[in-house]
């Protein structure tokens, strides 16, 4: 029997990851979590809590404190108090803390991975093999930068107290992208995790304690948008780092304008995945799986627009459909599944609404023949073909497992289609002709361009967007500049210059 035939006849058997340690961890804390302020657990002043649930089966996981403006104020004060000592430590001393955090994350990697899958709904294969290893790598990498700051970034110093607001799609990884460089450069932090996925940030807070991090260097204030807004507006914050939707990014930019706060925004995307006719289509199919079905498509840089050269488009679609039919959607803790649950009902609703718009516009939709599990928030992998650039689904970020496909004839047309969006986060180019790829790459307006691969990340490589995908970089040396300021700036006043409003000219309306 050929291996291929053997696979065809093999039955699917679930391979569930054991969740006992995660349940024990939650039970030992009576499934209730306070705010982490100044190295201590503190109840919220308002006494308010909210539930976090498992989106794969709607089970209650824990009650989480909802931080209000007073709590944000306490956390900012703690971070301010901790700042002089932390910033004055030698780079070597700060590095030792970062190494300790990295090692603790590795030590507890299985607990982190299971908690993340329970809280977010993403497959354990991804949390175990991608999220958590990258988190540890970020802390190790930035431990090195802590030691190098004074030589490699001579003439720069820490910004001060940093408010960091992160999303739910990569909860612990986004925490690492934010906290590791901030601490390495000598800043102290108030972190606001996303309301759907606070658990791994709370485990991380425990690890900060066990690693002996001085109190107040990292504070975690859980809550929803209002908690984030309070942090954004707080006068004691010197910088805001935000990852999330373009809509909220816009609100934060307005809220911080004129305040003198440094700002970095990592926002949405509608990234092109460009396939030329000479590429190896079987590799392309696996690339597509990684681009749009990784993390249920809830990835800001997901390759959500497939641009296929006309001569191979139908052949490619047929291969993609065959692959989609074989994808497994189900329990995130099952090591055999490819696609987990959508994080929350509101996100599922948004995906369903946008897909409906595509169908209403007459775009051709294809979904596999099988049904998703009924007990949680699941959505099947979806392919729209014969899409035109004017369709809503070609322009709006869907943030789900939905791929929209368009065709092009020439490389110039591919570039034009790729750039026909208000975003500019990432792009992926597939061809056997490296000269063609290198010719196209700089013409595509995106922070990251991958060639014959996609969703490849490393702590040493800066990531960030153009246009409505935001500004500022995370990772690499370039990412460090978000967390430092030139010492020369100390000679200038911190307060912004207030411009007087011009008086309207007499006789004119408005
Ligand atoms: P998504 O649309 O992907 O859920 P959001 O941009 O709404 O992402 O959320 C990302 C993060 O921003 C979350 O931690 C959320 O609580 C926070 N947030 C939402 N609204 C605001 C706001 N007005 N100000 C500050 N933070 C906010």
């Amino acid at each position: 029997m050929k291996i291929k035939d053997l696979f065809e006849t093999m039955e699917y058997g679930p391979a569930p990851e054991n969740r006992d340690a995660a349940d024990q961890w939650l039970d030992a804390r009576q499934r209730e979590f306070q705010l982490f302020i100044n190295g201590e657990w503190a109840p919220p002043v308002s006494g308010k809590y909210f539930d976090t649930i498992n989106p794969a089966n709607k089970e209650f996981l824990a009650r989480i404190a909802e931080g209000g403006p007073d709590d944000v104020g306490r956390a900012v004060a703690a971070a301010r108090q901790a700042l002089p000592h932390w910033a004055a430590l030698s780079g070597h001393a700060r590095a030792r803390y970062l190494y300790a955090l990295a090692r603790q994350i590795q030590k507890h990697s299985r607990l982190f991975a299971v908690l993340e899958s329970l809280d977010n709904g993403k497959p354990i294969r991804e949390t175990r093999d991608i999220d958590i290893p990258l988190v540890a790598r970020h802390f190790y990498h930035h431990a090195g930068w802590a030691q190098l700051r004074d030589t490699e970034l001579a003439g720069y110093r820490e910004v001060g107290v940093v408010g960091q607001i992160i999303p739910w799609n990569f909860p612990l990884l986004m925490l690492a992208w934010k906290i590791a460089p901030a601490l390495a450069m000598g800043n102290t932090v108030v972190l606001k995790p996303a309301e759907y996925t606070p658990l791994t940030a709370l485990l991380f807070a425990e690890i900060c304690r066990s690693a002996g991090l001085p109190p107040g260097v990292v504070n975690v204030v859980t809550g929803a948008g209002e908690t984030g807004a309070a942090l954004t507006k707080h006068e004691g914050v010197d910088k805001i780092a935000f990852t999330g939707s373009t809509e909220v990014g816009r609100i934060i930019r307005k809220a911080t304008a004129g305040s003198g706060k440094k700002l970095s925004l990592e926002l949405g995307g509608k990234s092109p995945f460009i396939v030329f006719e000479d590429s190896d289509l079987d590799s392309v199919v696996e690339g597509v799986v990684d681009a749009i079905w990784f993390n249920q498509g809830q990835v800001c840089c997901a390759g959500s627009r497939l641009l296929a050269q006309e001569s191979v488009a139908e052949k490619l679609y047929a291969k993609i459909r065959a692959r989609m039919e074989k994808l497994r959607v189900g329990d995130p803790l099952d090591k055999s599944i490819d696609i987990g649950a959508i994080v929350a009902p509101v996100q599922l609703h948004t995906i369903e609404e946008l897909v409906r718009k595509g169908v209403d516009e007459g775009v051709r939709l294809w979904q596999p023949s099988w049904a998703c599990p009924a007990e949680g928030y699941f959505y099947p992998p979806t392919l729209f073909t014969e899409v035109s650039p004017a369709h809503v689904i070609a322009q709006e970020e869907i943030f789900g497992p939905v791929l929209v496909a368009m065709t092009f004839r020439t490389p110039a047309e591919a570039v034009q289609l790729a750039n026909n969006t208000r975003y500019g986060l990432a792009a992926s180019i597939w061809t056997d002709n490296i000269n063609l790829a290198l010719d196209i790459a700089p013409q595509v307006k995106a922070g990251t361009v991958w060639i014959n691969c996609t969703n490849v990340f490393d702590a040493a490589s800066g990531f960030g967007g153009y246009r409505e995908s935001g500004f500022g970089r995370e990772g690499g040396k370039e990412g460090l500049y978000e967390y430092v300021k030139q010492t020369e700036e100390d000679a200038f006043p911190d307060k912004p210059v207030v411009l007087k409003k011009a008086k309207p000219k007499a006789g004119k309306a408005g």
Side-chain angles (χ1 to χ4, degrees):
M1 191 186 252
K2 284 185 183 160
I3 293 216
K4 184 171 161 281
D5 298 331
L6 185 68
F7 279 129
E8 293 294 327
T9 58
M10 268 161 67
E11 288 287 307
Y12 160 64
E17 176 68 70
N18 187 307
R19 56 177 282 180
D20 290 352
D23 280 322
Q24 279 160 18
W25 183 79
L26 290 166
D27 288 339
R29 284 139 194 86
Q30 283 83 45
R31 295 191 181 249
E32 184 175 294
F33 291 86
Q34 315 302 337
L35 309 165
F36 185 67
I37 298 175
N38 206 25
E40 303 288 341
W41 295 101
V45 170
S46 68
K48 283 192 197 157
Y49 291 79
F50 62 95
D51 290 351
T52 188
I53 58 131
N54 177 351
N57 58 13
K58 305 181 191 172
E59 73 175 312
F60 164 81
L61 291 173
R63 247 160 67 90
I64 310 291
E66 188 178 323
D70 292 338
D71 305 303
V72 167
R74 285 191 295 159
V76 172
R80 176 67 56 200
Q81 204 184 352
L83 183 65
H85 168 69
W86 181 250
L89 285 180
S90 69
H92 176 71
R94 279 200 306 276
R96 287 179 59 168
Y97 286 110
L98 287 162
Y99 282 124
L101 290 173
R103 278 194 295 272
Q104 287 290 320
I105 288 159
Q106 285 183 314
K107 185 172 162 191
H108 298 287
S109 60
R110 199 164 158 281
L111 176 58
F112 269 119
V114 174
L115 265 186
E116 196 82 306
S117 283
L118 285 173
D119 208 13
N120 170 280
K122 61 166 72 192
I124 186 75
R125 272 196 304 133
E126 293 179 9
T127 54
R128 184 194 60 192
D129 300 343
I130 300 171
D131 294 60
I132 312 302
L134 275 175
V135 168
R137 162 102 179 111
H138 263 265
F139 279 96
Y140 278 121
H141 179 81
H142 286 94
W145 276 121
Q147 274 173 277
L148 292 172
R149 189 193 86 174
D150 294 342
T151 47
E152 289 285 321
L153 287 99
Y156 287 89
R157 67 161 176 84
E158 72 289 343
V159 178
V161 173
V162 184
Q164 305 184 315
I165 301 167
I166 56 171
W168 44 261
N169 56 345
F170 293 91
L172 193 68
L173 186 57
M174 291 302 104
L175 173 152
W177 280 25
K178 299 267 180 292
I179 289 188
L183 297 193
M185 294 298 104
N187 303 276
T188 55
V189 164
V190 178
L191 178 95
K192 210 290 285 168
E195 53 273 40
Y196 306 130
T197 54
L199 291 180
T200 48
L202 296 164
L203 174 57
F204 177 81
E206 288 190 359
I207 274 177
C208 289
R209 258 168 82 126
S210 60
L213 197 71
V217 172
V218 168
N219 304 274
V220 179
V221 180
T222 42
E226 284 181 19
T227 314
L231 183 57
T232 309
K233 286 186 203 126
H234 198 287
E235 286 193 350
V237 171
D238 301 304
K239 176 197 160 78
I240 291 288
F242 172 77
T243 297
S245 60
T246 296
E247 190 190 348
V248 174
R250 209 171 272 136
I251 294 171
I252 290 180
R253 189 157 191 193
K254 275 189 194 151
T256 52
S259 70
K261 287 189 182 98
K262 199 172 157 95
L263 178 66
S264 52
L265 299 173
E266 203 264 89
L267 310 174
K270 190 81 181 173
S271 299
F273 187 103
I274 309 166
V275 181
F276 287 98
E277 60 189 359
D278 62 348
S279 45
D280 169 14
L281 293 188
D282 290 322
S283 303
V284 167
V285 171
E286 291 315 306
V288 166
V289 172
D290 260 359
I292 188 68
W293 294 309
F294 168 55
N295 203 25
Q296 297 70 249
Q298 303 168 131
V299 183
C300 49
C301 57
S304 51
R305 283 187 303 142
L306 172 64
L307 312 181
Q309 198 153 17
E310 208 174 72
S311 48
V312 290
E314 285 306 326
K315 193 172 164 193
L316 177 61
Y317 299 160
K319 280 177 181 281
I320 292 174
R321 287 186 193 116
R323 184 72 176 89
M324 289 165 75
E325 188 65 29
K326 300 264 182 208
L327 289 171
R328 287 178 184 146
V329 176
D331 178 8
L333 286 186
D334 181 350
K335 287 170 240 168
S336 304
I337 64 110
D338 301 297
I339 301 178
I342 302 295
V343 72
V346 51
Q347 295 298 327
L348 184 60
H349 180 71
T350 308
I351 297 168
E352 286 167 347
E353 281 297 295
L354 281 162
V355 167
R356 193 162 306 133
K357 272 191 189 155
V359 172
D360 290 349
E361 283 182 312
V363 186
R364 195 165 157 215
L365 169 131
W366 195 89
Q367 289 175 330
S369 59
W370 40 261
C372 287
E375 69 270 27
Y377 307 119
F378 291 94
Y379 198 81
T382 301
L383 172 68
F384 277 112
T385 52
E386 291 157 37
V387 180
S388 86
H391 285 135
V392 172
I393 53 165
Q395 295 298 331
E396 294 286 316
E397 184 180 37
I398 300 175
F399 223 65
V402 183
L403 180 64
V404 302
M406 289 172 261
T407 58
F408 66 88
R409 270 175 258 184
T410 63
E413 219 177 287
V415 170
Q416 217 170 29
L417 270 180
N419 289 336
N420 185 6
T421 159
R422 53 201 171 97
Y423 298 109
L425 196 52
S428 180
I429 300 172
W430 293 73
T431 170
D432 266 4
N433 180 346
I434 193 68
N435 292 325
L436 175 63
L438 292 177
D439 181 37
I440 298 291
Q443 298 179 54
V444 177
K445 290 197 175 67
T448 301
V449 180
W450 291 293
I451 294 174
N452 290 333
C453 60
T454 195
N455 277 339
V456 179
F457 301 99
D458 186 70
S461 174
F463 181 86
Y466 280 104
R467 305 196 282 200
E468 291 196 22
S469 292
F471 51 79
R473 294 292 176 264
E474 297 188 281
K477 189 174 182 184
E478 52 272 47
L480 301 177
Y481 290 100
E482 301 302 330
Y483 290 101
V484 288
K485 65 193 276 191
Q486 282 182 299
T487 42
E488 276 179 14
E489 284 181 48
D490 294 343
F492 299 102
D494 250 2
K495 290 275 171 216
V497 179
V498 181
L499 297 173
K500 282 191 183 147
K501 267 192 185 165
K503 280 185 191 160
K505 281 188 187 159
K508 284 208 168 172

